[in-house]
Amino acid sequence: MSIRDVANAAGVSHQTVSRVINGHPRVRPATRARVEAVIAELGFRRSVAAHALASGRTRSVTVLTANTTHYGRAALLRGVEEAARAASYAVGICVVESEEPRAVRDALDRATDAGGGLIVIAYDEPGLRALEQAPAGLPLVAAVETPAAAPPAASPWVWTDDRRAAREATEHLLGLGHRTVHYLAIPSTTRSRGGSQRAAGWREALTRASAAVPEPVAAGWTPAEGYAAGRRLAADPGVTAVLCGNDDLALGLLRALHEAGRRVPEDVSVVGFDDAPHAAYLAPALTTVRQDFHEVGRVCFGRLHGLIEGGAPVGPHALATPRLTVRESTGPAAPPA
Amino acid sequence: MSIRDVANAAGVSHQTVSRVINGHPRVRPATRARVEAVIAELGFRRSVAAHALASGRTRSVTVLTANTTHYGRAALLRGVEEAARAASYAVGICVVESEEPRAVRDALDRATDAGGGLIVIAYDEPGLRALEQAPAGLPLVAAVETPAAAPPAASPWVWTDDRRAAREATEHLLGLGHRTVHYLAIPSTTRSRGGSQRAAGWREALTRASAAVPEPVAAGWTPAEGYAAGRRLAADPGVTAVLCGNDDLALGLLRALHEAGRRVPEDVSVVGFDDAPHAAYLAPALTTVRQDFHEVGRVCFGRLHGLIEGGAPVGPHALATPRLTVRESTGPAAPPA
DNA sequence: GGCCCGCATGTGACCGGTCACCATCCTGGG
DNA sequence: CCCAGGATGGTGACCGGTCACATGCGGGCC
C-alpha cells in the first residue's frame, strides 16, 4: 500500500497523492477530494520510514535522561509527550545509564540515530555530560538546573529559578526562628562548584541572614537514600530545620526523624522540593516548593518544535519561579530551653 | 555519509559494506577489517530510516499506555527500556488519552506507524481497549491483569498473579482478627465483571472465611483520589481493616485516617499494593504486596523480541506470585469493647 | 587437465516516499 | 489573435539501505 497504489485507484499521479497528503495548495478541490476518498477507502497511511528517508525529517523527538521514574523527570517526560502528541510528533526515550564516557556516547549515538530532535534532561551528571558532548548541529533543547550566571545567548536551555525558590524556602525557615537550616542534598552536577543551584540558594539565604552554614548532607534522589542520610541529621539534637533537595528525600528524612522520636514540626521543621504527588498526603503534610515539571516538558518540546520547523534559533528560557507551599511540616523553632 | 562512501574509501562494493555491518559470515577477515577500519575512521552510522525502509524491520518497540508516571507503569516502562537497550532496540512511548474510540484508534495508529513491536499496558480501560482493537498481525505483547480464566493459548499476555496475592493479603488481615476487610479500589476494566482481579482475590478470601463482603469503595490511582474516597472509610467506625488497590491509594487513606483521628494500626489496619518506593518510608511503614513491575517489563520485551526476531508465537505467561511484605500498618484487631 | 563447487564479492533493482523540473491548460492583456 | 504566466498535474531521479542473483576465482576430484 503505497502512494502509487492510491494514485492508480484515484487516476492521478503519485506526486498528486503526495501533494494531497502534505496539504500542498496547488491541487484542485475536486482532485483533492477524490484522492482523499481513495485514501480513506484503502486505509492508506504513509510510511514513516520512507518519509524520513526521503525528506530527512522525522517528526519525532527523543528524550535523553538518566531516569524515567523519579517524579520530576517523569513529569517532565509527560509534558513532552503531551505537547508532542498535540503536534503529531512521535516520542522516544533514551536512558543514559551512567556518566562514564562510554555510556554517554552510546546514549548519544542511540538518540542521534533516531533522527529527530533531542531533549536532554540535564539535572544530573549523566544528563549534563550528554548535553556537553552532544554533536553540534543536532536540534536540541535541554532542561537544566538554574544557571549560575547568565547563560550564553545561544544555549537552548530551559529552567525554573529554583535557586531563588530554595532561598525563599530557607528564609521561610529562618523567619520561623530557626538558628540555621541544614540541607539534605540531591546529587549535584560537578560543573556547578559547591553543589546544585538549590544548594546555592540555600547557602545564599543563610549567608544573608548571617546564620551558620552547616555542611550539606549528601544523599541521592530516593526515599531510601533520604532515610540513610537523614539518620545522621535525626541523631543531631542541634538540627531543628532541614531543607531537602526533593520530596522523596524529605520522605526518607521524615521517617528517620520519626524513628528517632523527633516530632515534626514541633522538634524539627522539614521542607521538601518539587511538590510530588505524595507530598500533600504525608502526615505531617509536607511544606514544599511547587515545581511545574509538566510545564517545563511542554516548553522544551515547544521550543524544539520551533527550532525544527521554523529554524528559529533557541536561546535560554527561564520559567516562573516555583513558589513555596506551606503545609504542616514546618513550624516555629522551639524556644531555647 | 552512506555505505557507498564507505565502500569507495575501502575499495569494495557497497554490498560488502552492508555485509560487514550486518555481521554476514561470508566476508574474508582481511576485507572485514579494512571495511571496519574505514567505518571507524569516517564515523559511519547506518541510517535507521533507510534500514527500516529497505528491510521492513525497525529494531524498535513502542510502549502504549494510559499513563507514564504512576508507579507500576513507570517501573514497567523502565524494565522495557533496560531490556530494549540491551538488545539495541529503540523505545518509543505512545499514550492513550482516554477510552474513547477515537483516542484509542489514534493511539493505535501512532503506535503502528512507528513500525516496530508493540507493548500494551492494559491495566486500565484505555489500555485494554487498545489491546482489543490492535490490528491482527502486529507483533504485540501485553501486560494485563491476572486473567479471570485460563487465557487462550495464543494470547500474548504477561501478568503476575495478583488475584492470589490479594487473597493472601486479605487472609493476613482476617488472620489478625478483623471481622471483615474493606477494599479501596483502583479502577477496574469493564471486561472483568465485578472489578479487577485484585478485587476478585479480596472477595474470594472474604467468602472462603464466611466474612461479610462490603461494597468496594471506588477510587482512582492517585493519593488525592485515595484520600477523597478514603474519608468515607475513615468516617465509618465499623471499618478496621482496608486493602488498597495500590500504595498511592493507601497513602491517601492513611492521611484520611490520620485526619479522622484513627490510629494505624491500632484502630485500623491498612494494606497497600505494589510496594512503591515510598511504601517502606511512611509512618507507619506500609504493609503491602510487592510487585516486580520491572521484571514484567523485561519479560514483555523479551517475549516481543523473540516474536519479532524468532517468529516464535507468544502465549500467555504468568510471573511468580507477588508476596506480601508485612510492615507496620497492619496489626491485630482491637478486642471488642 | 577439465570440471564442479563453494567462497567472496559485485551488480542492479527495489522499498515508498520527496524533490526538481517539465508539460498542459486556461485566462487575460496588448 | 497571440503570447505571458499562473494553476494543475506528471515524470524520473534520488534518499540509503537490503535483496536476489551474477560473477570470478581457487581447490578438490576424477
Side-chain angles (χ1 to χ4, degrees):
Chain A
M1 169 61 52
S2 78
I3 55 170
R4 288 167 232 256
D5 299 319
V6 174
N8 283 342
V12 297
S13 78
H14 65 107
Q15 177 64 317
T16 296
V17 177
S18 175
R19 289 192 179 100
V20 168
I21 63 186
N22 289 301
H24 188 104
R26 296 286 149 76
V27 179
R28 207 178 327 181
T31 310
R32 178 183 304 278
R34 185 151 34 99
V35 171
E36 280 172 345
V38 172
I39 286 177
E41 184 189 345
L42 265 44
F44 165 84
R45 304 220 95 215
R46 128 172 110 189
S47 153
V48 168
H51 173 73
L53 175 58
S55 71
R57 288 180 287 260
T58 15
R59 293 193 74 75
S60 74
V61 297
T62 110
V63 177
L64 194 159
T65 177
N67 184 289
T68 60
T69 59
H70 295 160
Y71 169 67
R73 297 166 179 79
L76 198 161
L77 176 60
R78 185 158 69 97
V80 170
E81 192 280 334
E82 277 184 26
R85 175 146 41 91
S88 16
Y89 267 54
V91 5
I93 64 182
C94 171
V95 171
V96 233
E97 183 79 333
S98 77
E99 62 191 65
E100 274 179 55
R102 204 202 131 114
V104 171
R105 199 145 34 75
D106 270 15
L108 240 15
D109 280 349
R110 277 179 290 128
T112 314
D113 284 349
L118 185 55
I119 292 176
V120 177
I121 305 185
Y123 291 158
D124 42 39
E125 195 61 30
L128 189 55
R129 298 244 172 140
L131 175 56
E132 291 173 344
Q133 285 165 39
L138 183 66
L140 175 155
V141 168
V144 300
E145 280 195 333
T146 309
S155 343
W157 297 346
V158 174
W159 71 89
T160 59
D161 193 350
D162 52 5
R163 171 190 187 150
R164 177 162 157 199
R167 201 181 68 214
E168 290 173 2
T170 307
E171 286 164 353
H172 162 70
L173 256 6
L174 258 12
L176 251 17
H178 295 277
R179 308 283 290 273
T180 189
V181 176
H182 290 254
Y183 179 58
L184 186 57
I186 51 176
S188 62
T189 49
T190 54
R191 272 1 137 264
S192 45
R193 55 249 133 237
S196 66
Q197 288 301 309
R198 295 183 182 186
W202 159 77
R203 184 174 288 111
E204 196 173 7
L206 254 26
T207 308
R208 286 192 191 182
S210 309
V213 180
E215 188 64 19
V217 178
W221 301 97
T222 65
E225 292 164 306
Y227 172 72
R231 291 178 67 156
R232 270 180 293 158
L233 251 11
D236 178 351
V239 173
T240 69
V242 183
L243 173 67
C244 300
N246 76 22
D247 288 348
D248 275 340
L249 251 27
L251 172 61
L253 171 64
L254 250 23
R255 173 77 200 179
L257 291 166
H258 170 77
E259 290 183 5
R262 306 191 67 187
R263 294 163 305 161
V264 176
E266 294 81 354
D267 300 328
V268 182
S269 285
V270 174
V271 175
F273 225 108
D274 293 351
D275 199 14
H278 63 264
Y281 296 93
L282 299 176
L286 193 64
T287 292
T288 189
V289 175
R290 158 148 234 155
Q291 293 261 46
D292 197 347
F293 286 111
H294 197 239
E295 177 68 8
V296 175
R298 280 195 301 250
V299 168
C300 281
F301 177 82
R303 296 177 79 78
L304 183 54
H305 191 207
L307 175 61
I308 293 173
E309 313 245 295
V314 180
H317 182 78
L319 274 65
T321 302
R323 313 240 349 127
L324 183 70
T325 302
V326 177
R327 291 200 271 246
E328 304 166 352
S329 65
T330 48
Chain B
M1 171 62 52
S2 78
I3 54 170
R4 288 167 234 257
D5 299 319
V6 174
N8 283 341
V12 298
S13 76
H14 65 106
Q15 177 64 316
T16 297
V17 177
S18 175
R19 286 196 256 262
V20 168
I21 63 187
N22 289 301
H24 188 103
R26 294 287 149 74
V27 178
R28 206 180 327 180
T31 310
R32 177 182 303 278
R34 186 153 31 101
V35 172
E36 281 171 345
V38 172
I39 287 177
E41 185 190 343
L42 264 45
F44 166 83
R45 303 220 94 215
R46 127 169 110 191
S47 153
V48 168
H51 173 72
L53 175 57
S55 70
R57 288 180 289 260
T58 331
R59 293 193 73 75
S60 74
V61 297
T62 110
V63 177
L64 194 159
T65 177
N67 183 289
T68 59
T69 58
H70 294 160
Y71 170 67
R73 297 168 180 79
L76 199 160
L77 176 60
R78 184 158 70 97
V80 170
E81 192 279 336
E82 276 184 27
R85 176 149 38 93
S88 20
Y89 266 53
V91 6
I93 66 181
C94 170
V95 170
V96 234
E97 183 80 330
S98 78
E99 63 193 65
E100 274 179 56
R102 204 202 130 113
V104 171
R105 199 145 34 76
D106 271 14
L108 242 14
D109 281 348
R110 275 178 291 129
T112 315
D113 284 349
L118 186 56
I119 292 178
V120 177
I121 304 185
Y123 292 158
D124 41 40
E125 195 61 30
L128 189 55
R129 297 244 173 139
L131 175 57
E132 290 172 346
Q133 285 167 39
L138 182 67
L140 175 157
V141 168
V144 299
E145 279 195 331
T146 310
S155 343
W157 297 346
V158 174
W159 71 89
T160 59
D161 194 350
D162 53 5
R163 171 192 188 146
R164 178 163 157 200
R167 201 181 69 216
E168 290 173 0
T170 308
E171 286 164 353
H172 161 69
L173 256 5
L174 258 12
L176 252 16
H178 296 277
R179 308 282 291 272
T180 188
V181 175
H182 290 255
Y183 178 59
L184 186 57
I186 51 175
S188 62
T189 50
T190 55
R191 279 349 144 267
S192 45
R193 59 251 129 237
S196 66
Q197 288 301 309
R198 294 183 183 186
W202 159 77
R203 186 175 286 110
E204 197 173 7
L206 255 25
T207 308
R208 285 192 191 180
S210 309
V213 180
E215 188 64 20
V217 177
W221 301 97
T222 63
E225 293 164 306
Y227 171 72
R231 291 177 67 154
R232 272 180 290 160
L233 252 12
D236 179 349
V239 173
T240 69
V242 184
L243 173 67
C244 300
N246 74 24
D247 288 347
D248 275 340
L249 252 27
L251 172 61
L253 171 63
L254 250 22
R255 173 78 198 179
L257 291 167
H258 171 76
E259 290 183 5
R262 305 192 67 188
R263 295 164 304 162
V264 176
E266 294 81 355
D267 302 327
V268 182
S269 285
V270 174
V271 175
F273 225 107
D274 293 350
D275 199 15
H278 62 263
Y281 296 93
L282 299 176
L286 193 63
T287 293
T288 189
V289 174
R290 158 148 235 154
Q291 292 262 46
D292 196 348
F293 287 111
H294 197 239
E295 176 69 8
V296 174
R298 280 196 301 249
V299 168
C300 282
F301 178 81
R303 296 177 80 80
L304 183 54
H305 191 207
L307 175 60
I308 291 173
E309 313 247 293
V314 179
H317 180 79
L319 275 65
T321 302
R323 312 239 351 128
L324 183 70
T325 301
V326 178
R327 292 200 269 245
E328 303 166 352
S329 66
T330 49

